[in-house]
């Protein structure tokens, strides 16, 4: 499969999974945590699907389109493994992690701290959606929406 096709499938899965979470799953009251703001496309989607909900976005640099720039205080810049620790216990309703680089060796480094961080950020019962697996005993895997190939995206509920 070409990288273009793979990219399209990944983004289709990402949109479908975020839509399922926002429209069909009972989300708690807490904020949404967006790990990997990037251009801000998924941030914008979450903001549109969950109007009025606080969405706190993280990235090492601000490369967001100006139309998708979080308000003051809701964009946290720096290494997520370090900056997001300050938000442990915030009781997030949803953590969305899209910090994949496409390079397996770099992505494996993130896997050392990302699952525990997701647990620390989520409220009990909160949802995590991630482009990489989050193996942690406190995260129960959930079935993916129909049409999403297992392994393309990952969905969990915090126990
Ligand atoms: C695939 S992009 C995110 C795309 C975004 N969801 C969108 O819709 O535009 C991944 C982002 O994660 C960020 N990132 C990856 N690892 C990071 C880390 N350890 N700390 C901070 N940012 C990181 C990168 O800088 C990049 O902007």
């Amino acid at each position: 499969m070409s990288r273009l096709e793979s990219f399209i499938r990944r983004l289709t899965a990402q949109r479908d999974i975020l839509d399922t979470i926002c429209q069909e799953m009972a989300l708690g009251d807490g904020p949404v945590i967006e790990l990997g703001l990037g251009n801000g496309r998924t941030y914008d989607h979450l903001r549109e699907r969950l109007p009025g909900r606080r969405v706190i976005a993280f990235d090492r640099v601000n490369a967001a389109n100006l139309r998708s720039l979080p308000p003051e205080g809701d964009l946290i810049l720096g290494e997520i493994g370090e900056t997001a620790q300050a938000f442990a216990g915030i009781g997030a309703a949803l953590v969305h992690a899209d910090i994949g680089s496409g390079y397996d060796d770099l992505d494996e480094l993130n896997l050392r701290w990302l699952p525990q961080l997701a647990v620390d950020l989520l409220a009990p019962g909160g949802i995590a959606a991630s482009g990489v697996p989050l193996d942690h005993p406190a995260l129960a895997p959930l079935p993916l929406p129909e049409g999403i190939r297992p392994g393309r995206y990952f969905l969990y509920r915090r126990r």
Side-chain angles (χ1 to χ4, degrees):
M1 187 192 310
S2 73
R3 286 185 54 225
L4 176 62
E5 271 179 0
S6 175
F7 180 70
I8 289 168
R9 288 185 192 195
R10 189 176 72 79
L11 293 198
T12 301
Q14 190 178 62
R15 181 205 54 204
D16 291 351
I17 212 161
L18 293 179
D19 281 352
T20 299
I21 292 167
C22 296
Q23 292 164 1
E24 296 175 23
M25 298 176 77
L27 282 181
D29 292 334
V32 169
I33 302 288
E34 169 79 332
L35 300 178
L37 176 67
N39 178 281
R41 292 188 185 97
T42 50
Y43 169 82
D44 187 57
H45 198 72
L46 287 165
R47 202 171 49 167
E48 190 182 290
R49 291 290 186 270
L50 297 170
R53 177 87 58 154
R54 185 181 181 197
V55 183
I56 310 171
F58 295 76
D59 208 299
R60 56 171 60 98
V61 289
N62 176 12
N65 183 295
L66 286 179
R67 289 175 298 167
S68 304
L69 195 58
E72 180 87 23
D74 287 352
L75 172 57
I76 314 299
L77 297 179
E79 285 299 309
I80 291 170
E82 297 162 14
T83 56
Q85 274 307 326
F87 293 78
I90 194 167
L94 168 65
V95 169
H96 174 232
D98 183 20
I99 60 173
S101 64
Y103 294 99
D104 289 347
D105 49 345
L106 288 181
D107 292 346
E108 269 167 30
L109 288 179
N110 289 336
L111 288 180
R112 293 185 190 167
W113 49 264
L114 186 58
Q116 183 64 55
L117 177 65
V119 171
D120 292 345
L121 293 170
L122 282 169
I127 301 293
S130 171
V132 293
L134 302 177
D135 292 327
H136 193 289
L139 295 173
L142 295 175
L144 293 168
E146 209 179 303
I148 300 180
R149 180 177 66 72
R152 190 165 285 286
Y153 231 77
F154 300 86
L155 188 60
Y156 305 88
R157 185 183 293 282
R158 188 187 153 183
R159 295 182 206 276

